[in-house]
Amino acid sequence: MALLSPSRRLRRTPFSEGVEAAEIKAYTVYNHMLLPTVFESVEEDYRHLKENVQIWDVAVERQVELRGPDAGKLMQMLTPRDLRGMLPGMCYYLPMVDETGGMLNDPVGLMLADDRYWISVADSDLLYWVKGIAYGYRLDVLVDEPDVSPLAVQGPKADDLMARIFGDAVRDIRFFRFGMFNFQGRQIPVARSGYSKQGGFEVYVEGSDLGMPLWNALMEAGRDLNVRAGCPNGIERIEGGLLSYGNDMTRENTPHECGLGRFCSTQTAIGCVGRDALLRVAKDGPSRQIRPIEIKGELPPCDRVWPLTAGDERVGQVTSAAVSPDFGTGIAIGMVRMTHWTPGTTLTAHTQDGPREASIRDEFWI
Amino acid sequence: MALLSPSRRLRRTPFSEGVEAAEIKAYTVYNHMLLPTVFESVEEDYRHLKENVQIWDVAVERQVELRGPDAGKLMQMLTPRDLRGMLPGMCYYLPMVDETGGMLNDPVGLMLADDRYWISVADSDLLYWVKGIAYGYRLDVLVDEPDVSPLAVQGPKADDLMARIFGDAVRDIRFFRFGMFNFQGRQIPVARSGYSKQGGFEVYVEGSDLGMPLWNALMEAGRDLNVRAGCPNGIERIEGGLLSYGNDMTRENTPHECGLGRFCSTQTAIGCVGRDALLRVAKDGPSRQIRPIEIKGELPPCDRVWPLTAGDERVGQVTSAAVSPDFGTGIAIGMVRMTHWTPGTTLTAHTQDGPREASIRDEFWI
């Protein structure tokens, strides 16, 4: 791995002090901010995550706040998912597309009130798109990035740890719902969500000054639970089929290609940008789609697209890959043409270290 | 320095192979892409740049292409600089702001034809803003990121090297102008521009397949000129007062605060977004502004804002800093309140390693 040069442009987070004290080894950059990627090793972090509880600095999940009379109207313009059933306290996974149906981001939206939403974004400046649309349509809404930094608590012991800080009521939060909880006299949203399949919460820490006090309180309260600093884990998220914007999907792709058609109610999502294009896509169905892929042999880091071929024909590409300790094989996410996406189909994945045997699976590993 | 975890999301460039062959030591991430930062060492790269010629992979300067009947109208909406004098073959440095006058990016615009522009962007997804505005206003224009990757040739021997590849006509290109030049039978724009004060060119390589052939041709042709792979140099750019979006300015700042008032003809830039706010700012003048600052003593990496104080009062912040071998002192860029921006004013800069004596200068170092 190469070194990462520090600069103010790669923003620190309210939890950076805790991350450094935990002897962070590697980062990635996400929304112009530092995102931890390795503490002990990717494999040890993975094992620990699956058996214990971890605190993750995911401040990189920046929020786009919409506030004002037109906030709801703007939200519906931004996504082909029908938002009529969304109520305060709900989180919605929201594909967001441009006028051609190309993915711009795949955030989680939180409805705080009738006239107030947060959009918790993946790695692109969605703020610029939202501001442009709001300005172009002269909507009566404020669009900004508030001082909110999510902290995730993930792993099988997450409920026990969280209850010690926020009380037993956190155990009752349902999946993709949030409630307001007290920490040091301030009310902050706590959601049952997170970028792992091990269960847990995301605390939307509003106010950078609360960052380290909350980090330290969780670390202290979780000693006997073997709590540790952690981060989204490259192996675990591929096992679980959690997609990554910029890796597994880009503006080149429609939600349907990404397997997100079930989040698109384009017919009823009146006013959404990209509606014309997506109605066409929904009617015809995608001609390529994301699939779980097993790959045999040693794998280099998946730092570029790996073409997938059948004979001389290019039929897709791998976009994320790792070797899974638990499943004892190479696991991957890729986009595959419909002619070759049937489970069991054998293809060749062309890594920078040479070709590997790949086969389409019917489902992810967990 | 921490390590940088590889992933497809941190895009490689058409020149990555050449960068790796030159034994790159460190990167930063810029526009979701790898930007080299260190080859030998920052100090040795600096010395070499000032005396020889370097090839820079600046593919991270992604282009936003506007094409269609409304391209010119959209360009003028995006910037407070008056574009009426812009003609094909010209490059313009263009502050771009939101409706409140906050900086969104500080790109260089290239006019390719009456109905076609490229915007060569700094580190933010300006594409999203431009697409949002174009969509909101229903403009008749295509907005996209084309397959264009700038390669910079910088240093005192840049003219000699470039003439060997593109012919002596490159010597006649004036500053911030570009011409179309032939390479392997294709016409590509070559501009006299670049992110250093040492002189040189930026080649807008259209077509990723041309990347390594051009890289190799330049390396081969420049052997006796002591050509080397290089990159924007953190010391040299601060000496020269070249601002960095995300470091020295953000959406918090107006162009006038950034000393870019001379690029704002807000009165005549009819239709530009942010006009109302900027007319107010231009009338009142900014109450804080970017200044060159000298800092005494050893300096840690400027990976966060360093508050500037006068006594107990916070009066500004340092946003970029390095130690200059040529000037034998700490050099910095910062934003300072008008009460304390007079040259010669002595302040305290609070680094993560402790306080340092800082003084306001009247101009940058070169």
Side-chain angles (χ1 to χ4, degrees):
Chain A
M1 277 197 270
L3 293 167
L4 177 64
S5 289
S7 68
R8 179 213 175 182
R9 187 173 50 76
L10 310 184
R11 298 179 284 181
R12 292 165 59 82
T13 87
F15 317 110
S16 289
E17 203 185 297
V19 163
E20 288 161 359
E23 297 183 7
I24 177 78
K25 290 214 177 73
Y27 291 104
T28 186
V29 176
Y30 196 101
N31 285 328
H32 315 278
M33 198 173 244
L34 297 171
L35 173 62
T37 52
V38 185
F39 284 91
E40 297 290 321
S41 71
V42 177
E43 291 73 17
E44 290 192 56
D45 293 351
Y46 159 93
R47 177 61 47 220
H48 181 273
L49 168 63
K50 285 190 166 187
E51 294 171 0
N52 300 280
V53 57
Q54 297 184 346
I55 313 297
W56 294 1
D57 172 0
V58 285
V60 299
E61 295 170 3
R62 304 313 296 163
Q63 307 304 303
V64 176
E65 175 165 314
L66 314 188
R67 189 197 280 248
D70 286 338
K73 177 180 177 183
L74 177 54
M75 276 299 277
Q76 187 61 85
M77 289 183 72
L78 295 174
T79 180
R81 184 162 177 184
D82 189 332
L83 301 183
R84 284 176 301 175
M86 195 176 192
L87 296 169
M90 289 185 180
C91 308
Y92 268 35
Y93 179 68
L94 298 173
M96 295 198 170
V97 300
D98 67 12
E99 71 284 3
T100 72
M103 294 286 295
L104 295 177
N105 204 293
D106 69 327
V108 173
L110 282 74
M111 185 172 181
L112 296 157
D114 284 342
D115 60 354
R116 190 170 175 223
Y117 295 81
W118 284 346
I119 306 172
S120 189
V121 306
D123 184 34
S124 73
D125 296 333
L126 192 75
L127 177 69
Y128 280 32
W129 171 250
V130 181
K131 280 178 71 80
I133 296 291
Y135 184 83
Y137 277 84
R138 296 262 180 262
L139 298 180
D140 195 6
V141 60
L142 281 172
V143 180
D144 215 335
E145 179 178 312
D147 180 18
V148 173
S149 297
L151 186 69
V153 178
Q154 300 283 302
K157 301 178 189 166
D159 278 63
D160 291 342
L161 175 55
M162 287 289 283
R164 295 181 186 178
I165 301 293
F166 294 101
D168 274 326
V170 293
R171 298 182 189 273
D172 301 327
I173 304 174
R174 287 191 287 154
F175 186 64
F176 260 54
R177 299 291 173 104
F178 69 90
M180 300 303 290
F181 285 80
N182 177 70
F183 182 73
Q184 296 195 342
R186 306 237 289 267
Q187 292 292 111
I188 49 180
V190 176
R192 190 178 289 277
S193 58
Y195 197 62
S196 87
K197 288 285 187 182
Q198 307 309 312
F201 301 87
E202 287 175 305
V203 185
Y204 288 78
V205 181
E206 192 172 6
S208 292
D209 60 309
L210 278 185
M212 282 312 299
L214 179 59
W215 176 282
N216 289 331
L218 286 162
M219 283 293 179
E220 186 64 29
R223 278 194 195 176
D224 62 306
L225 299 173
N226 195 21
V227 67
R228 256 187 39 189
C231 50
N233 184 276
I235 307 171
E236 198 269 352
R237 75 111 181 150
I238 297 174
E239 285 179 356
L242 294 173
L243 305 184
S244 164
Y245 186 75
N247 281 314
D248 306 313
M249 53 188 155
T250 70
R251 215 160 41 80
E252 293 294 304
N253 307 116
T254 65
H256 300 77
E257 289 177 353
C258 305
L260 306 176
R262 68 188 183 281
F263 297 107
C264 299
S265 351
T266 317
Q267 198 69 249
T268 57
I270 310 291
C272 82
V273 179
R275 191 162 180 255
D276 300 347
L278 289 186
L279 283 174
R280 168 59 51 194
V281 166
K283 192 159 176 260
D284 298 346
S287 62
R288 56 181 182 178
Q289 203 169 50
I290 281 180
R291 286 286 182 270
I293 300 168
E294 186 170 327
I295 307 184
K296 296 235 163 63
E298 294 289 300
L299 296 180
C302 189
D303 65 355
R304 66 199 81 181
V305 153
W306 292 343
L308 283 167
T309 59
D312 290 339
E313 191 188 0
R314 179 163 175 164
V315 300
Q317 59 188 31
V318 168
T319 51
S320 295
V323 173
S324 164
D326 280 359
F327 296 93
T329 186
I331 58 174
I333 298 175
M335 185 74 70
V336 186
R337 215 188 284 168
M338 67 190 304
T339 49
H340 292 77
W341 73 27
T342 311
T345 307
T346 302
L347 302 172
T348 303
H350 298 267
T351 79
Q352 61 268 35
D353 287 0
R356 299 284 187 277
E357 188 185 318
S359 58
I360 310 295
R361 280 175 57 95
D362 61 347
E363 52 186 17
F364 283 95
W365 286 262
I366 207 162
Chain B
M1 277 197 269
L3 293 167
L4 177 64
S5 288
S7 70
R8 178 214 176 183
R9 186 172 51 75
L10 310 184
R11 300 180 281 182
R12 293 165 58 81
T13 86
F15 317 110
S16 289
E17 203 185 294
V19 163
E20 288 161 0
E23 298 183 7
I24 177 77
K25 290 211 178 75
Y27 290 103
T28 187
V29 176
Y30 197 102
N31 285 326
H32 315 278
M33 196 172 245
L34 297 171
L35 173 62
T37 52
V38 185
F39 284 91
E40 298 290 320
S41 71
V42 177
E43 290 74 18
E44 289 192 56
D45 293 351
Y46 160 92
R47 175 63 46 221
H48 181 273
L49 168 63
K50 286 190 165 187
E51 293 171 359
N52 300 279
V53 57
Q54 296 184 346
I55 313 295
W56 293 3
D57 173 359
V58 285
V60 299
E61 296 171 3
R62 305 311 298 163
Q63 306 304 303
V64 176
E65 175 165 315
L66 314 189
R67 190 197 280 248
D70 286 338
K73 179 180 177 183
L74 178 53
M75 276 298 278
Q76 186 63 82
M77 289 183 72
L78 296 173
T79 180
R81 183 162 177 185
D82 189 332
L83 301 183
R84 284 177 299 176
M86 194 177 193
L87 296 169
M90 288 185 181
C91 308
Y92 268 35
Y93 179 66
L94 299 173
M96 294 197 170
V97 300
D98 68 11
E99 72 283 4
T100 71
M103 293 286 295
L104 295 176
N105 204 293
D106 68 327
V108 172
L110 282 73
M111 185 173 181
L112 297 157
D114 283 342
D115 60 354
R116 190 169 176 226
Y117 295 80
W118 283 347
I119 306 172
S120 190
V121 307
D123 184 33
S124 75
D125 295 333
L126 191 75
L127 178 69
Y128 280 32
W129 170 250
V130 181
K131 281 177 72 80
I133 296 291
Y135 184 82
Y137 277 84
R138 297 261 182 262
L139 298 180
D140 195 5
V141 60
L142 282 172
V143 180
D144 215 336
E145 179 178 311
D147 179 17
V148 173
S149 296
L151 186 70
V153 178
Q154 301 282 301
K157 300 179 189 165
D159 277 64
D160 292 342
L161 174 55
M162 286 289 282
R164 295 179 186 179
I165 300 295
F166 293 103
D168 274 327
V170 293
R171 298 183 190 272
D172 301 327
I173 304 173
R174 287 190 287 153
F175 185 64
F176 261 53
R177 299 293 173 100
F178 70 91
M180 300 303 290
F181 285 80
N182 177 70
F183 181 72
Q184 296 194 343
R186 305 238 289 269
Q187 294 290 110
I188 49 180
V190 176
R192 189 178 291 276
S193 58
Y195 197 62
S196 87
K197 288 285 188 180
Q198 308 308 314
F201 301 86
E202 287 176 304
V203 185
Y204 288 77
V205 181
E206 192 172 7
S208 292
D209 60 307
L210 278 185
M212 282 312 298
L214 178 59
W215 176 283
N216 290 331
L218 286 163
M219 284 293 179
E220 186 64 32
R223 276 193 196 179
D224 62 306
L225 299 173
N226 195 20
V227 69
R228 256 187 40 189
C231 49
N233 184 275
I235 307 171
E236 197 269 351
R237 75 112 181 147
I238 297 174
E239 285 180 356
L242 294 173
L243 305 184
S244 164
Y245 186 76
N247 282 313
D248 307 312
M249 54 188 154
T250 71
R251 215 160 42 79
E252 293 294 304
N253 306 116
T254 64
H256 299 76
E257 289 178 352
C258 305
L260 306 177
R262 65 188 184 282
F263 297 106
C264 299
S265 352
T266 317
Q267 197 69 248
T268 58
I270 310 292
C272 81
V273 179
R275 189 160 181 257
D276 299 348
L278 288 186
L279 283 174
R280 168 58 50 194
V281 166
K283 191 159 175 262
D284 298 347
S287 62
R288 55 181 182 177
Q289 202 170 49
I290 281 179
R291 285 288 181 273
I293 300 169
E294 186 170 327
I295 308 183
K296 296 235 163 65
E298 294 289 300
L299 297 180
C302 188
D303 64 355
R304 67 199 79 182
V305 154
W306 293 343
L308 282 168
T309 58
D312 290 339
E313 191 188 359
R314 179 164 174 164
V315 299
Q317 58 188 31
V318 167
T319 52
S320 295
V323 173
S324 164
D326 280 359
F327 296 94
T329 187
I331 58 173
I333 299 174
M335 185 74 71
V336 186
R337 212 187 287 166
M338 67 191 301
T339 49
H340 292 77
W341 74 26
T342 311
T345 307
T346 303
L347 302 170
T348 303
H350 299 267
T351 79
Q352 60 268 36
D353 287 1
R356 300 286 187 275
E357 188 185 319
S359 58
I360 309 295
R361 281 175 56 96
D362 59 348
E363 54 185 14
F364 283 94
W365 286 263
I366 210 164

